[in-house]
Amino acid sequence: MSTPNPNIAKTSMRGLTNFISDLRNAPSKENEEKRVTKEMAHIRKEFKENKNIDGYARRKYVCKLIYMYMLGYELDFGHMEAVTLLSSTKFSEKQIGYISIAILLHEQHEMLPLIINSFKEDLLARNDYFQSLALAAICNIGGKEVAEFLSPLIQKLLIANTSSPMVKKRAALAILRMNRKNIGFVTPDQWVERLVSVLDDSDFGVLNSLMSLLIELASENPIGWESAIPKVIQLLKKIAINKEFPKEYTYYHIACPWLQVKLLKFLRYFPPPEDSQGGQVLNEILNAIFSQSESAKAGTVNHKNSLNAVLFEAINLIIHLDSDPTLLKQTSSLLGRFITVKETNIRYLGLATMSHFANLSNETSIMIKKYQDTVLLSLKDADISIRRRALDLLYGMCDKNTCKHIVAELLSYLQTADYAIREELVIKIANLAEKFASNYSWYVDVILQLITTAGDFVSDDIWFRVVKIVTNHEDIQAYAASTVFTALQSRNCHETLIKVGGYILGEFGHLIADSPQSSPLIQFNILHSKYGTCSPSTKALLLSTYAKFVNLFPELTQPTQEVFKQHSNYIDAEIQQRACEYLNLTSLNEDLMQTVLDVIPAFSEKDNSNNNNINSSNGNSQDPRVSSGSGYHTPPPQQQYQQPVQQQQSNNNLQDLLDPFGLGLGGSPQPAQQQVAQYQQPQQQIVMQPQQIQQQQSPQEVQSPFGSGTHNFSPSSPNGPSSPINSGGAIDPLQLKILISFKRLCLASEGVLYEDNMLQVGLKSEYQGSQGRLMLYYGNSSAFPLTNFNVTFNSVSGVQLQPQSIAPVIQPKAQIQQPVTFSCTSEFTETPTVVINFLTPGKPITIHLKLPIIMSKFFDPLKLNSGDFFAKWKTISGKPLEIQEVFKPTKPVDINQFTKVLSDGLNITVLKGVDPNPNNIVAACLYPFGSNGQPIQCYIRIESNPQANMCRVTIRTQSAVLTNTLKSLLIAHLQ
C-alpha cells in the first residue's frame, strides 16, 4: 500500500475559487470576457512589477491562467512563471508547475529545452513524489531531445534496487512512451540483463508496467529477450497454479487478469521452450487456466470478461505453440462453446480464433467439423461482423468432403445476404468451387448460379476463369454451351452472363447446334435479343461472337452482316471499327475467314493453377509479428478473384489517372485475360493482302497487349470507349512518350510534359500544405509563329485551378510561361486536364494533356513505431476502406527501389523495423484534406516473393476513395 504524501498542502486557494465562481455566474459571454481581461491585466501587472511574489501567489495566479486557457482564451505570458514553480521545494507548488507545463507546452515547444534541467534535478532527487511528477511530465510532453538527454537516468531509476515501486512503474511507462515515439530507442544488448532482473520484483504493479514495455520491445525484435522466458513462465505459475498474489490484484475472483494476458502475449513472440521442463510447466499453466473456464457460466459480466480475456490469450498461445494434442482438443471444445454464447463480442472472438485454429493443420480442421452447423447458423446473425467471421471460418473449414454442402449453403445464403458482404461471399464461393471441384461441370453450375444471383459482385477474373477452364477441358465444352444457352433464355440476364454466353457459344455453340431447340439461328436470336441492353464493351464482345457464328454457321451470314452494317456508323469508335472490319472479313473468301476466325487454342497449362487461399479482406486483424496459427505468408504466384465488378467500375477514373491513354501500361494481363482479350479484338486492316493478314495474326503479335488491333479488357485496363491509340493500329510513339512523361512527373517536381516537332511543354511544381503552384513553359520548336495560342484548364472535384493569362502568340524558338495556382480541399479521383489550342500555317492544333497533380503530392509524413502502427492497422478493416491486390513487377523485385519510389516519389513514410521480414515493406502517410475536414491516415503493407517475382499490396485508410487511388498509384509505379 502506498503511503500518504506528507508534502500535499492543506490550504486551499480562496482567490482561485472566487474567480472560478465569478466566471461560472457571469450572466453573458461579454461579462465573462470582461472579467477574464481584468484578471489577466492584474496577473500580468503582478508578474511584471512584484519582484518579491511568494510561492502561494504565483501558484494561485498560474492556476487562474490555466483555467482561462482551458476555457479557450489565448495566453501570451505566464509560461516562465510556471517553469519557475518547477524549481520550488514545496510539493504543492511543484505539482502546479508540472500540471501547467503539461497543459501549456508540447514536445515541439521552444521552451521545452529550458526545463530539461528541472526534469533532471527532480529525477535525481531522493523524493519519490518529485520523481513521479517528472516522469509523468516526460511521458506527456517529452520529445526526442528530452529522451536523448534523460533516457540513461530513467533507465537507472527502473533497474535500481533503491527506487520505489511507484517510481519504477512510471519509469517503465516513460521508457515505453519514448520508445514508441522514437523507434529503436531501447537496444536490448545494452541493458537486457538488468531489465529482465526487474521481473523478480515483488510488486505486481511494477510487473504490469514492465510487461507492457517488454511486449513492445519483443514486438520490434524478439532476439535478445529470450532470457525473460523462464521468469515469465515462473510468474504465470506463481499466479495460476500457486495462487501467490496480493489480494488487491484480484478482479472479480480472477487473479491479476491484465498481468496474465500480458505474460501470455509475451510468450507468443518466441518459439516453444527448448527445455522439456519449461514446456511441461507451461502446459500445466495452460491447463490450470482452462480449468477456470467453467466458472464463466455463472459469474457476473465483469467476471466473465476478465476470465475470457485470459482464456482467449491462452488459446492464442496454444495455437502458436501447436505442441500438445490434449490442449488442442480442449481448445477446440472451448471455442465450440464460445461460438454458441449470447454475447456478441465473445462469439465474434470465438469465430475469429476458430478460423486461425482451423488453418493450423488438418487435425485441427477435423476437430471443428462438428461445429459446422453452428457456424452456418451464424451466417444469419443480425450483426454483420459475426456474419463476416462465420464466412471466414466456413472458408477455412471446407474440404473435399464438405465442399458441396458448404457451397450450397453459401449460395442459398447469397440470395438474402447484405450487399456489404456479398462481394466477399462471391469471391469465397468461387474459390471453394474451383479448389474442391470433383468435376468441372459442377464448377460451371456454381459460377453460373453466382452470376444469376449476384452478378454485380462477380468480377471479370471469375468469368475469365470459367472461360479458361471450359476452353482447356473438351469434356465439359458441350455441357457448358448447353447450360449457358439455357441460362440465357431467362428474360432478365445479367450482363456478365451475356459475356460468358457470348464467349462460350461463339467458341463451342456448334457442339449443341444439332438440337432443334438450340439451332444456330436460335443461338443468334437469343444473344442478339440481349444486345440492346448491354454496355459498349459487351456489345463489342458480341460482335466478335457474331463473326465466329459466320465462320461456324454459313447460314447466319446474312443476319450477322445486317448487324455489322447497322453498326458501321455507330457512335462508339470501338464498336464501329469492329463492325466495319467484321463486315469486310465475312465478305472475303472462306479460307481467309477461317484463318482469322479460327478457334482459340487452349490456355497455357502452367497458368491453370488458381490461388485457393485468399486472405479475407475483412479477416481478423492481428499483429503479424505474433503468431496465432495463421501468420502472414509470402504471396503466391497468382491471386485470383481479387477485384469485384463494382470496384472495377468505380476505379476506371483512377486507372485513367495512371494510364491516361488507355494503353494498359499498369501491368501485363494474366495469360487467361490475354486470350479472352484476343477473342474480343477486331481483326485489323481487312483490305490488306492475305499474306499480310496472316503475318499480322502471328501468335507473337496476337499475344502482345500492344499488337495490332489488340484490345485488352482485363480488369487492369479501363473500360468504356477506347482512345484512338488502342482502338486499332500500332501505338503512336508520341502518345507513349506522353504517358511515360506523365508517370515520371507523378514522382518528380519538374520535367517535360509534352514535346513534338512544334511545341514543348515543360513543368515545375511546388507544394505547401493544401496549396500548390505550377509553372508551365510553352516553347515553340518550329520555324513559324504559333498564333491564337490558348490554354484551357479543367479543374476536378477537390482541386481548384487558378491560371494566369498568357500571350496569344509564341514566336519561333521562343518560350512563354504560365503560372497556375491551385488548392486541394478533399480527396479527388481524377487529375485536372489542360487543352492547348493554337494555329499553324497549315491547320489548327489541339492537344489534350493531364496535369500530374495527384493525391500523393499532398501527403504528409506519418512516423509510427510498430506498436502504434499495428494498433491503428487493426482499427480499419473491410472493404471499401481496405483493399488487397497481387501484382507482378516487370523487373525483378528490388526492395530498395520500392522504398525509394515510396519515400522520394510518392511522399510515403517507410517505417523501418516494423516487419521482421526484409522482403516486406510497411509504410504510412497522412492526407490532411479529407472530405469531412479531418486528416486521413493511410497504412500500407507490401509483401514480396523475390523467387516468384510477385508482390501483394494491402492498403487500409479511412477513405474508400483514397484507398483505391493509393492502390492504383502503388501498382502503377512499382510494377
Side-chain angles (χ1 to χ4, degrees):
M1 298 293 293
S2 60
T3 58
N5 183 2
N7 297 310
I8 296 179
K10 301 297 189 295
T11 58
S12 61
M13 293 178 282
R14 182 176 300 175
L16 175 63
T17 304
N18 294 336
F19 174 67
I20 294 175
S21 298
D22 291 345
L23 295 185
R24 288 183 175 178
N25 297 327
S28 64
K29 184 66 176 177
E30 291 76 10
N31 291 337
E32 178 188 301
E33 291 176 353
K34 289 179 181 179
R35 182 70 178 88
V36 168
T37 303
K38 179 180 178 181
E39 190 64 31
M40 278 192 177
H42 173 68
I43 295 174
R44 189 191 301 269
K45 181 179 179 181
E46 286 293 318
F47 284 162
K48 186 175 182 180
E49 298 180 0
N50 191 352
K51 303 299 182 182
N52 298 319
I53 188 172
D54 60 5
Y56 171 80
R58 179 178 282 111
R59 178 164 62 99
K60 179 180 65 175
Y61 291 146
V62 169
C63 285
K64 289 183 178 181
L65 291 175
I66 294 174
Y67 186 72
M68 288 185 280
Y69 179 77
M70 293 172 66
L71 289 178
Y73 295 96
E74 294 185 4
L75 292 182
D76 56 358
F77 71 100
H79 298 76
M80 285 305 301
E81 302 301 327
V83 173
T84 303
L85 288 173
L86 298 182
S87 60
S88 175
T89 57
K90 293 183 179 181
F91 178 84
S92 59
E93 296 175 8
K94 189 180 291 288
Q95 182 186 39
I96 296 300
Y98 275 112
I99 291 174
S100 60
I101 65 169
I103 295 175
L104 299 176
L105 306 185
H106 53 81
E107 62 183 57
Q108 303 296 333
H109 201 280
E110 58 185 9
M111 290 188 63
L112 197 60
L114 301 178
I115 60 176
I116 291 179
N117 282 331
S118 297
F119 288 158
K120 184 178 179 181
E121 290 175 2
D122 288 334
L123 292 175
L124 291 173
R126 296 299 182 93
N127 190 311
D128 294 344
Y129 297 100
F130 290 1
Q131 290 175 334
S132 298
L133 287 174
L135 290 170
I138 291 171
C139 285
N140 285 328
I141 61 174
K144 186 175 182 180
E145 187 176 355
V146 174
E148 291 175 350
F149 189 76
L150 298 178
S151 60
L153 186 56
I154 299 174
Q155 293 175 11
K156 288 179 181 179
L157 288 176
L158 175 59
I159 62 181
N161 295 328
T162 56
S163 297
S164 67
M166 178 174 64
V167 173
K168 285 186 177 181
K169 286 189 292 185
R170 286 165 174 77
L173 296 177
I175 296 174
L176 174 61
R177 196 267 185 184
M178 289 188 291
N179 190 70
R180 286 177 175 174
K181 296 292 290 183
N182 306 278
I183 299 175
F185 169 74
V186 178
T187 52
D189 55 333
Q190 295 180 357
W191 58 300
V192 59
E193 295 182 2
R194 297 290 301 275
L195 185 58
V196 171
S197 67
V198 183
L199 288 171
D200 296 326
D201 198 292
S202 59
D203 189 281
F204 274 57
V206 174
L207 295 176
N208 205 359
S209 299
L210 179 64
M211 286 310 303
S212 297
L213 174 60
L214 290 180
I215 288 173
E216 176 71 17
L217 299 177
S219 68
E220 293 178 2
N221 185 7
I223 299 175
W225 299 104
E226 293 84 356
S227 58
I229 296 176
K231 293 182 181 294
V232 169
I233 294 177
Q234 287 304 314
L235 278 173
L236 280 170
K237 181 180 178 181
K238 184 178 179 181
I239 298 171
I241 298 179
N242 300 338
K243 308 296 182 181
E244 299 175 2
F245 50 86
K247 291 183 179 180
E248 59 267 25
Y249 284 93
T250 301
Y251 180 78
Y252 286 89
H253 307 291
I254 303 298
C256 315
W258 294 278
L259 181 56
Q260 285 194 68
V261 167
K262 291 178 182 179
L263 293 170
L264 291 168
K265 184 174 183 179
F266 178 79
L267 293 176
R268 284 201 285 139
Y269 290 95
F270 303 93
E274 296 181 357
D275 60 311
S276 57
Q277 183 178 0
Q280 184 178 356
V281 172
L282 187 55
N283 288 342
E284 292 175 2
I285 293 168
L286 294 171
N287 277 306
I289 293 174
F290 274 7
S291 66
Q292 306 175 46
S293 61
E294 292 298 324
S295 66
K297 295 181 179 179
T300 63
V301 174
N302 291 329
H303 173 80
K304 291 179 181 179
N305 288 342
S306 56
L307 176 58
N308 288 332
V310 177
L311 288 175
F312 273 112
E313 202 59 51
I315 289 172
N316 286 332
L317 179 58
I318 291 171
I319 294 174
H320 167 70
L321 297 176
D322 188 20
S323 56
D324 191 329
T326 304
L327 286 174
L328 291 174
K329 189 173 181 180
Q330 292 181 31
T331 298
S332 173
S333 301
L334 190 57
L335 289 174
R337 198 178 77 203
F338 281 147
I339 65 175
T340 58
V341 299
K342 293 182 179 180
E343 291 88 350
T344 302
N345 291 337
I346 301 301
R347 278 188 291 130
Y348 177 91
L349 292 172
L351 291 167
T353 308
M354 191 175 278
S355 295
H356 298 151
F357 187 77
N359 293 329
L360 193 59
S361 64
N362 290 332
E363 290 75 13
T364 57
S365 180
I366 294 173
M367 288 181 188
I368 62 173
K369 286 291 190 296
K370 56 186 175 182
Y371 305 114
Q372 181 174 309
D373 292 338
T374 305
V375 179
L376 286 170
L377 191 62
S378 297
L379 284 175
K380 302 176 183 178
D381 194 272
D383 193 318
I384 190 171
S385 62
I386 297 293
R387 299 198 294 271
R388 288 187 185 278
R389 296 290 75 77
L391 180 58
D392 290 341
L393 179 53
L394 281 174
Y395 185 79
M397 293 171 64
C398 193
D399 59 20
K400 289 186 178 180
N401 297 324
T402 61
C403 177
K404 289 192 176 181
H405 176 61
I406 289 179
V407 169
E409 291 288 344
L410 293 179
L411 285 171
S412 175
Y413 171 62
L414 179 63
Q415 298 177 7
T416 57
D418 290 350
Y419 284 97
I421 200 174
R422 285 194 177 192
E423 204 170 67
E424 182 182 358
L425 189 57
V426 166
I427 292 173
K428 283 182 164 58
I429 293 174
N431 276 274
L432 291 177
E434 182 176 355
K435 181 178 181 180
F436 300 109
S438 56
N439 60 78
Y440 283 115
S441 299
W442 174 75
Y443 170 73
V444 171
D445 291 338
V446 170
I447 301 302
L448 290 181
Q449 190 172 348
L450 270 183
I451 296 173
T452 303
T453 307
D456 288 339
F457 301 92
V458 178
S459 69
D460 280 350
D461 282 332
I462 295 179
W463 79 265
F464 286 168
R465 190 69 182 156
V466 175
V467 163
K468 181 176 181 180
I469 289 175
V470 172
T471 303
N472 286 8
H473 296 82
E474 295 183 5
D475 54 325
I476 64 167
Q477 290 173 356
Y479 176 81
S482 176
T483 306
V484 170
F485 175 77
T486 303
L488 286 172
Q489 296 182 43
S490 173
R491 291 185 61 184
N492 299 316
C493 290
H494 194 273
E495 189 165 336
T496 303
L497 178 60
I498 298 173
K499 291 179 182 179
V500 177
Y503 182 96
I504 292 180
L505 292 181
E507 292 294 329
F508 313 114
H510 62 281
L511 299 177
I512 61 172
D514 294 337
S515 172
Q517 290 79 18
S518 56
S519 65
L521 183 60
I522 294 177
Q523 293 184 38
F524 171 78
N525 289 335
I526 286 181
L527 280 177
H528 198 57
S529 66
K530 318 292 184 185
Y531 184 89
T533 60
C534 295
S535 65
S537 61
T538 305
K539 288 182 178 180
L541 185 148
L542 290 179
L543 290 179
S544 297
T545 300
Y546 300 161
K548 289 277 187 174
F549 278 166
V550 175
N551 187 35
L552 295 172
F553 315 116
E555 63 270 26
L556 294 181
T557 301
Q558 182 177 354
T560 55
Q561 286 189 345
E562 287 296 327
V563 175
F564 296 151
K565 289 177 182 178
Q566 292 172 8
H567 291 79
S568 59
N569 294 313
Y570 199 75
I571 189 172
D572 185 275
E574 172 76 10
I575 295 176
Q576 181 189 100
Q577 180 186 352
R578 294 193 182 211
C580 293
E581 293 173 355
Y582 289 146
L583 180 61
N584 282 278
L585 180 63
T586 54
S587 301
L588 299 176
N589 64 75
E590 186 176 348
D591 292 337
L592 175 61
M593 183 174 64
Q594 290 180 354
T595 301
V596 175
L597 298 176
D598 198 6
V599 177
I600 287 184
F603 295 91
S604 174
E605 289 298 329
K606 68 180 181 180
D607 296 314
N608 280 343
S609 61
N610 183 30
N611 173 33
N612 299 306
N613 281 321
I614 64 168
N615 287 330
S616 171
S617 61
N618 299 291
N620 184 34
S621 300
Q622 292 204 9
D623 188 340
R625 303 161 296 179
V626 181
S627 170
S628 59
S630 62
Y632 283 78
H633 301 287
T634 305
Q638 286 186 341
Q639 186 88 359
Q640 298 288 343
Y641 309 155
Q642 280 287 329
Q643 190 173 13
V645 170
Q646 284 186 338
Q647 180 180 326
Q648 286 174 253
Q649 294 170 348
S650 64
N651 282 355
N652 288 343
N653 291 333
L654 302 181
Q655 292 161 343
D656 288 343
L657 168 69
L658 303 167
D659 192 359
F661 301 103
L663 294 175
L665 293 183
S668 59
Q670 297 292 337
Q673 298 166 353
Q674 284 182 328
Q675 289 189 318
V676 176
Q678 172 193 342
Y679 181 76
Q680 293 199 91
Q681 72 176 17
Q683 308 305 323
Q684 191 73 8
Q685 297 181 3
I686 302 303
V687 296
M688 297 168 61
Q689 295 298 323
Q691 294 84 356
Q692 293 174 305
I693 295 179
Q694 290 173 1
Q695 268 189 339
Q696 189 173 352
Q697 296 297 326
S698 64
Q700 292 81 2
E701 189 167 4
V702 169
Q703 290 296 326
S704 169
F706 306 119
S708 172
T710 300
H711 297 270
N712 178 17
F713 71 110
S714 67
S716 61
S717 299
N719 294 327
S722 303
S723 69
I725 296 177
N726 68 353
S727 63
I731 298 175
D732 185 349
L734 175 60
Q735 303 287 18
L736 182 59
K737 184 178 178 182
I738 295 172
L739 174 60
I740 294 173
S741 298
F742 174 83
K743 293 183 68 175
R744 182 172 60 248
L745 286 172
C746 286
L747 304 178
S749 60
E750 60 181 62
V752 176
L753 182 62
Y754 175 86
E755 185 174 17
D756 61 15
N757 57 359
M758 287 186 293
L759 180 69
Q760 181 189 65
V761 181
L763 176 147
K764 285 186 179 181
S765 62
E766 57 183 359
Y767 295 80
Q768 182 67 39
S770 63
Q771 305 298 315
R773 183 174 184 269
L774 291 181
M775 181 64 76
L776 292 170
Y777 301 88
Y778 308 104
N780 184 354
S781 305
S782 66
F784 43 82
L786 304 180
T787 59
N788 289 355
F789 196 86
N790 177 54
V791 181
T792 304
F793 292 86
N794 299 312
S795 300
V796 296
S797 176
V799 178
Q800 298 300 319
L801 302 179
Q802 295 178 339
Q804 295 185 13
S805 59
I806 55 174
V809 178
I810 307 180
Q811 297 299 328
K813 308 303 179 182
Q815 183 186 80
I816 62 174
Q817 302 177 6
Q818 183 176 29
V820 181
T821 58
F822 53 91
S823 59
C824 175
T825 57
S826 65
E827 309 100 297
F828 55 96
T829 59
E830 300 179 354
T831 58
T833 58
V834 58
V835 181
I836 303 174
N837 295 283
F838 57 89
L839 293 177
T840 66
K843 58 182 178 179
I845 301 294
T846 300
I847 301 172
H848 296 263
L849 299 173
K850 288 194 173 185
L851 296 175
I853 301 175
I854 57 178
M855 291 176 70
S856 65
K857 300 287 189 179
F858 299 95
F859 285 166
D860 284 345
L862 182 59
K863 296 183 179 179
L864 301 169
N865 59 30
S866 58
D868 290 343
F869 177 85
F870 285 106
K872 296 178 182 296
W873 176 268
K874 295 176 186 179
T875 61
I876 304 174
S877 64
K879 293 182 179 179
L881 302 182
E882 177 188 14
I883 195 168
Q884 187 178 86
E885 185 150 323
V886 172
F887 64 93
K888 184 178 182 66
T890 55
K891 297 180 181 179
V893 172
D894 185 346
I895 294 299
N896 293 331
Q897 180 63 25
F898 282 8
T899 302
K900 184 178 180 181
V901 171
L902 290 176
S903 58
D904 297 343
L906 297 175
N907 301 321
I908 298 173
T909 305
V910 177
L911 306 177
K912 300 293 186 180
V914 175
D915 196 317
N917 189 339
N919 291 325
N920 296 346
I921 295 176
V922 175
C925 61
L926 187 70
Y927 186 72
F929 316 111
S931 55
N932 60 356
Q934 298 297 321
I936 302 172
Q937 296 182 347
C938 314
Y939 310 106
I940 303 163
R941 191 168 191 265
I942 301 173
E943 303 163 273
S944 67
N945 183 347
Q947 291 76 22
N949 198 40
M950 297 292 295
C951 296
R952 177 171 62 192
V953 59
T954 307
I955 301 169
R956 297 183 182 184
T957 79
Q958 297 159 326
S959 163
V961 174
L962 185 54
T963 298
N964 284 286
T965 304
L966 196 52
K967 182 210 74 172
S968 301
L969 280 170
L970 291 176
I971 292 180
H973 293 291
L974 297 181
Q975 201 164 30

